[in-house]
Amino acid sequence: MEALKLCNLTWHPLKHFIYPHAFRRAPRTLVLRACSSSTAADTRAAGRNRRSSASSSPTSTSDRDAVRAIRLKKVEELRSKGLDPYAYEWHKTHGANQLQDIYRDLGNGEEKNSENDHISVAGRIVARRAFGKLVFLTLRDDSGTIQLYCDKERLIDDQFEQLKVHVDIGDILGARGTIKRTEKGELSVCVLSFAILTKSLLPLPDKYHGLTDIDKRYRQRYVDMIANPKVADVFRKRAKVVSEIRRTMDSLGFVEVETPVLQGAAGGAEARPFITYHNSLGRDLYLRIATELHLKRMLVGGFEKVYEIGRIFRNEGISTRHNPEFTTIEMYEAYSDYQSMMNLAEEIVTRCALAVHGKLSIDYQGVEICLERPWKRETMHNLVKETAGIDFNELGNDIEVAKGVTLDTLGKNLDNKDKGSIEACQSVGHLLNEVFEIFVEPKLIQPTFVLDYPIEISPLAKPHRRSTGLTERFELFICGRELGNAFSELTDPVDQRGRLEDQVRQHEKKRAAVSTNDKKDGMEDEDDLYEVTLDDDFLTALEYGMPPASGMGLGIDRLVMLLTNSPSIRDVIAFPVLKVQQ
């Protein structure tokens, strides 16, 4: 004897997964025939669990567990019928968008059922509607969606009953049938047979609200991509960006190489590294903080154009712009200077924009960004003078005098943190950079190359050939964010050793000061307590001779943020690092 089955949980479980207040609403129900009274009893039990849990728990955990229990029961029932709810394979002939394109001219009410029009599709069920002897399912694959038109008269054997009883939203189905367009204009697969390829045990988020908990979106990205198709589009665009970068570099004659992730010395940048231990070697190793020094070794070895797209690891803070692991491309070209890298940066970014958008005018967070070349090029000194009103060329090398002028001129516009950063500057070059970062950087919305950085903050860059105390270095800024960093590379091994040794001394001095102050305060600030080591092997390589060269690093995550209008770096990293869930 057939029983009535309440499907509010199994067909519309999604809102209870995220919104506990939904328990107070009158439930929407669909009345369906079930294969046994035991299934109906399980569903009624889930309803009782849901009502009891509504008053005792602020979460939907018990509700979700009830859904899982019901679906596990369905798995057992399918197996008892000799059906495998977790298939090995499925022969898929078309994707959803492919069918939409092939049959775009099919008229309303028309059907194609010739031998050539028998097709097979597969994907996840994301919506369903039932009308007596008809069930409509929305199937989504990685190309798009298509409707499954399930008519009891067309389905073989008892598949219509199986469809109504055992198929839930979230299940992955394979379906075979013909093509028709409904009277309302919806292209559909008229299903002749289907198979449950993967039985989903947990409910998906509400289709009307999606997955809205930001932490859960990042923590369970797989659910995020199911619930919010636009999220998956971001990662498809990311793949396009990476492919276009690689295509550009290869077309210009660069050779892609791979360098070590585990390194004996963390060099190429100033950042706190992650440290691990190699048991067999009995030594500490560092996860790389840059690919620079090994790529330069490739130039020493005879390569003239090299690049690497790779993961970088820095044991530092997390923000909308920073993730402990991120992706960059670094490239080096022999016999060129930093002017060449500006042209290359323009080429890479504009090609990526065209690949993603087909145009060079894009919107980022409500601001129109024009990527038409050439981009603005200006020195750091001139930008600081123009924005902050201080001409550092006139201040000389007395750091105390320079600090006094800076605080007198800008003091009213500085908070305590910024004042502290200015007071801590060790040289006029550091002070210039600090003022730039506070006042100028946030205003660089349109693409801008900032040229000629102080030598104190550029230990790997060649001295400027015309301006003492500066280097041939630029950084690229778009939307107030650094996107790229490039030098005319320092090739003098003696100068390079002196600068790196000075960098180590300055860091150790700062480390000692922080350690002393923290001990007085009874606390430790580990951000500045890490050890900086000298990469002697890199310096040895330079002594064999590296040709004149320029090099550049571009942040791929930030470029994808720009081209996908994403406000946070975690939106463009599929599985970002998060705090441990309590």
Side-chain angles (χ1 to χ4, degrees):
M1 179 178 177
E2 293 184 334
L4 291 179
K5 176 179 178 184
L6 290 176
C7 279
N8 191 49
L9 270 178
T10 56
W11 280 21
H12 298 282
L14 312 177
K15 61 190 174 187
H16 306 295
F17 185 55
I18 303 300
Y19 303 100
H21 63 265
F23 301 148
R24 296 192 292 271
R25 298 178 181 173
R28 294 179 293 170
T29 62
L30 291 174
V31 180
L32 300 176
R33 288 182 294 174
C35 61
S36 68
S37 58
S38 63
T39 306
D42 288 338
T43 311
R44 288 195 296 272
R48 289 194 297 271
N49 290 340
R50 182 175 74 256
R51 288 190 293 273
S52 63
S53 67
S55 59
S56 62
S57 172
T59 72
S60 59
T61 302
S62 60
D63 205 43
R64 187 175 69 161
D65 289 344
V67 172
R68 185 174 183 273
I70 291 171
R71 295 193 181 186
L72 281 170
K73 182 73 172 177
K74 293 182 181 183
V75 168
E76 294 175 7
E77 291 174 355
L78 288 167
R79 285 178 171 150
S80 71
K81 294 174 181 289
L83 301 173
D84 188 351
Y86 299 99
Y88 284 89
E89 53 84 33
W90 179 263
H91 178 60
K92 178 178 174 181
T93 62
H94 296 80
N97 275 8
Q98 188 180 6
L99 292 175
Q100 299 284 2
D101 184 58
I102 293 172
Y103 295 99
R104 61 183 178 277
D105 297 325
L106 189 65
N108 291 0
E110 291 185 19
E111 182 174 351
K112 294 281 189 180
N113 54 15
S114 69
E115 184 176 345
N116 292 334
D117 297 308
H118 280 68
I119 57 90
S120 173
V121 295
R124 189 181 298 275
I125 302 304
V126 294
R128 64 179 294 168
R129 294 170 294 140
F131 302 95
K133 296 183 178 181
L134 285 178
V135 173
F136 298 93
L137 305 175
T138 300
L139 180 144
R140 182 192 295 151
D141 62 17
D142 72 346
S143 69
T145 60
I146 194 162
Q147 179 170 272
L148 302 184
Y149 181 96
C150 306
D151 186 339
K152 181 177 181 180
E153 302 302 323
R154 298 194 187 212
L155 285 166
I156 61 175
D157 301 328
D158 63 345
Q159 281 210 315
F160 191 73
E161 292 305 315
Q162 181 188 333
L163 173 69
K164 294 176 73 174
V165 173
H166 292 115
V167 174
D168 297 296
I169 290 175
D171 290 353
I172 297 174
L173 254 61
R176 297 186 180 95
T178 58
I179 291 292
K180 74 172 289 182
R181 193 177 294 279
T182 64
E183 295 293 344
K184 292 185 177 181
E186 186 73 28
L187 187 69
S188 306
V189 176
C190 288
V191 179
L192 302 177
S193 66
F194 74 90
I196 298 175
L197 304 181
T198 299
K199 183 66 190 167
S200 171
L201 299 182
L202 295 176
L204 299 178
D206 189 295
K207 67 178 182 179
Y208 297 108
H209 300 91
L211 187 60
T212 56
D213 185 308
I214 296 298
D215 183 72
K216 190 180 290 291
R217 283 186 56 207
Y218 297 142
R219 203 173 294 280
Q220 296 184 336
R221 181 71 84 187
Y222 40 91
V223 181
D224 190 23
M225 290 188 282
I226 296 170
N228 305 310
K230 289 183 178 179
V231 172
D233 289 340
V234 168
F235 297 107
R236 291 190 179 92
K237 290 176 180 177
R238 181 186 177 108
K240 276 187 177 180
V241 168
V242 174
S243 295
E244 190 60 36
I245 290 173
R246 186 169 275 118
R247 189 177 299 114
T248 300
M249 300 305 293
D250 292 346
S251 71
L252 295 174
F254 283 79
V255 177
E256 184 173 12
V257 299
E258 294 177 299
T259 62
V261 172
L262 295 176
Q263 301 182 353
E270 188 170 359
R272 183 183 180 190
F274 288 94
I275 305 174
T276 188
Y277 183 79
H278 195 294
N279 290 324
S280 296
L281 296 178
R283 60 176 294 198
D284 286 337
L285 292 173
Y286 302 90
L287 273 64
R288 66 185 179 194
I289 58 175
T291 55
E292 178 170 350
L293 301 188
H294 281 87
L295 289 174
K296 288 181 177 179
R297 287 172 169 92
M298 300 296 289
L299 295 188
V300 173
F303 285 82
E304 294 186 0
K305 292 183 177 183
V306 294
Y307 76 95
E308 181 173 11
I309 296 174
R311 274 286 213 242
I312 304 299
F313 307 88
R314 296 182 181 177
N315 196 357
E316 298 177 337
I318 297 176
S319 72
T320 56
R321 301 185 186 191
H322 301 91
N323 194 65
E325 56 174 324
F326 56 97
T327 306
T328 68
I329 175 173
E330 285 200 43
M331 63 212 75
Y332 293 86
E333 181 180 15
Y335 312 113
S336 67
D337 65 7
Y338 73 147
Q339 297 289 340
S340 300
M341 286 295 147
M342 285 186 240
N343 298 331
L344 184 53
E346 289 179 336
E347 184 74 11
I348 290 172
V349 175
T350 54
R351 282 201 191 187
C352 289
L354 290 172
V356 173
H357 295 286
K359 59 182 182 178
L360 295 178
S361 179
I362 63 174
D363 175 81
Y364 185 76
Q365 301 297 295
V367 178
E368 184 177 348
I369 305 298
C370 179
L371 299 175
E372 293 283 353
R373 303 166 67 176
W375 298 343
K376 181 179 179 180
R377 305 181 183 194
E378 189 55 88
T379 67
M380 178 183 280
H381 276 83
N382 287 345
L383 288 170
V384 167
K385 181 180 179 181
E386 176 186 317
T387 305
I390 301 175
D391 187 350
F392 273 81
N393 286 320
E394 298 179 352
L395 295 184
N397 294 321
D398 190 321
I399 181 60
E400 297 305 324
V401 171
K403 286 180 184 178
V405 172
T406 301
L407 292 172
D408 288 344
T409 306
L410 306 174
K412 294 181 181 179
N413 300 314
L414 295 170
D415 58 26
N416 290 334
K417 181 180 178 182
D418 291 336
K419 286 180 180 178
S421 297
I422 287 175
E423 290 286 0
C425 287
Q426 301 169 355
S427 69
V428 175
H430 285 95
L431 180 60
L432 170 64
N433 185 63
E434 195 67 40
V435 174
F436 168 81
E437 290 183 352
I438 295 170
F439 289 97
V440 181
E441 188 173 316
K443 297 180 174 64
L444 299 178
I445 305 302
Q446 299 302 323
T448 304
F449 291 111
V450 179
L451 313 179
D452 304 344
Y453 278 57
I455 198 167
E456 298 96 321
I457 61 169
S458 311
L460 296 166
K462 209 170 186 69
H464 201 286
R465 65 195 85 181
R466 288 182 296 274
S467 300
T468 304
L470 302 181
T471 59
E472 293 196 352
R473 173 187 176 188
F474 74 78
E475 287 186 326
L476 169 62
F477 290 88
I478 305 178
C479 295
R481 294 173 180 161
E482 177 201 339
L483 195 65
N485 185 21
F487 317 139
S488 294
E489 299 296 339
L490 182 59
T491 55
D492 180 342
V494 176
D495 188 2
Q496 182 66 90
R497 178 177 289 277
R499 290 207 221 168
L500 291 179
E501 288 177 347
D502 183 62
Q503 184 183 39
V504 171
R505 282 193 296 271
Q506 293 293 339
H507 178 80
E508 289 302 315
K509 183 178 178 182
K510 183 178 180 182
R511 184 183 177 196
V514 168
S515 180
T516 300
N517 291 335
D518 286 344
K519 285 179 181 178
K520 289 179 180 178
D521 297 335
M523 56 186 289
E524 276 197 3
D525 182 3
E526 293 187 358
D527 284 346
D528 293 304
L529 290 179
Y530 64 91
E531 184 180 358
V532 174
T533 56
L534 202 63
D535 190 339
D536 278 307
D537 182 71
F538 168 66
L539 294 170
T540 299
L542 283 189
E543 293 194 357
Y544 281 96
M546 187 176 92
S550 60
M552 176 169 62
L554 285 176
I556 290 179
D557 305 294
R558 291 187 181 181
L559 177 57
V560 176
M561 287 172 63
L562 174 68
L563 297 180
T564 58
N565 196 18
S566 300
S568 171
I569 193 170
R570 284 176 287 186
D571 294 326
V572 301
I573 296 175
F575 304 102
V577 177
L578 299 170
K579 293 180 180 179
V580 175
Q581 192 171 20
Q582 299 299 320

